[in-house]
Amino acid sequence: EVQLVASGGDSVQAGGSLRLSCAVSGFPNNNRCVAWFRQVPGREREGVALSNAFFKGTAIARSVKGRFTVSEDNTKPMSYLQMNDLKPDDTAMYYCAARVGPCEGYSIDAYKFSPQGTQVTVAS
C-alpha cells in the first residue's frame, strides 16, 4: 500500500534548525524519487528538495540551497529534510511526495503527496 506521512514540524526562532521526516511505503527502495514541497496559504506549492534513490542523487531548490539538505534511510524507509538557519520566509506547510522511477523536477502532477503536511513556523 502506498503511504506517505510527513512529520517533525514545529515552531522555532529564526536561525534555528528542524529535521522533517517522511515515512515512505509502497514505493520500491531502489527506484523511486522522494520530493519535498512547501506551501503558504494563497501561494503555489513550491518544491524544495529531491532525492533520487536510483541515481543516489539529490537536488535542493535555489531558494533554500546551503541551508536545507535531503537524505534517505532505505532500511526504514524514511526521507529526511534537514533545515538549518531557518528564516521567517521558510514558514509553510511542508509535504513529502514520491513517485516510482526518476524524479520529474518539481512537477506537482508527477508525484503522490502525503495527505497531510507538517507545519513549520519560524519566528523573527
Side-chain angles (χ1 to χ4, degrees):
E1 178 186 359
V2 169
Q3 192 172 18
L4 295 154
V5 180
S7 62
D10 205 346
S11 297
V12 298
Q13 294 291 317
S17 297
L18 280 175
R19 188 177 81 157
L20 305 184
S21 300
C22 178
V24 183
S25 59
F27 295 87
N29 283 353
N30 62 351
N31 188 28
R32 68 161 186 255
C33 175
V34 177
W36 287 89
F37 291 79
R38 65 185 181 184
Q39 189 166 25
V40 175
R43 297 177 62 179
E44 290 187 358
R45 196 164 287 190
E46 175 193 16
V48 295
L50 301 170
S51 177
N52 187 312
F54 184 79
F55 295 109
K56 296 188 183 348
T58 62
I60 302 296
R62 189 176 302 176
S63 58
V64 299
K65 202 159 194 171
R67 301 187 297 117
F68 289 16
T69 58
V70 62
S71 62
E72 291 197 33
D73 182 349
N74 287 335
T75 65
K76 292 189 177 180
M78 297 286 290
S79 176
Y80 303 101
L81 183 68
Q82 178 67 43
M83 307 186 296
N84 299 326
D85 190 22
L86 283 162
K87 304 178 186 304
D89 283 348
D90 296 319
T91 295
M93 186 71 75
Y94 284 72
Y95 298 86
C96 61
R99 68 185 307 275
V100 176
C103 295
E104 289 288 340
Y106 296 116
S107 176
I108 292 173
D109 293 340
Y111 298 92
K112 177 172 174 61
F113 278 78
S114 55
Q116 293 183 334
T118 186
Q119 178 68 39
V120 172
T121 302
V122 184
S124 58

